[in-house]
Amino acid sequence: MSQLSFKAFCIEKYADYKSMPSNEIYKLFEEKGVIEMLDRDYDILHGFGFEYIVRDIDQFLGGEKTRNMDSG
């Protein structure tokens, strides 16, 4: 999966998870740096299941921006 496809997947799935329109999730991701985080951590995240990615995004948005990706 390309990085662009991965980001689109994350936006769509997170929008479904939060029951929000995907354009609002995209704006949130842009404002809060999630898009940058998905780019930076793509090599790690794209191999995980969506439950892990949702938890990671929730933690990131909740202010836990410093995390150890190896500890899961």
Side-chain angles (χ1 to χ4, degrees):
M1 177 181 295
S2 72
Q3 280 185 282
L4 180 59
S5 295
F6 176 70
K7 288 185 283 190
F9 170 82
C10 289
I11 291 166
E12 291 296 325
K13 291 298 187 179
Y14 199 79
D16 289 343
Y17 168 71
K18 292 292 188 177
S19 299
M20 294 174 64
S22 57
N23 65 319
E24 288 183 23
I25 294 297
Y26 175 77
K27 288 177 190 175
L28 174 70
F29 280 17
E30 275 289 308
E31 290 171 7
K32 301 296 184 176
V34 176
I35 296 293
E36 182 180 315
M37 181 270 290
L38 293 173
D39 278 334
R40 182 187 65 236
D41 295 343
Y42 169 77
D43 288 336
I44 297 167
L45 292 174
H46 83 280
F48 285 99
F50 188 70
E51 293 80 18
Y52 177 90
I53 296 170
V54 166
R55 187 176 69 234
D56 199 54
I57 291 170
D58 277 342
Q59 288 176 348
F60 187 90
L61 290 172
E64 298 179 38
K65 295 183 181 182
T66 303
R67 61 201 188 293
N68 182 348
M69 295 299 297
D70 293 331
S71 66

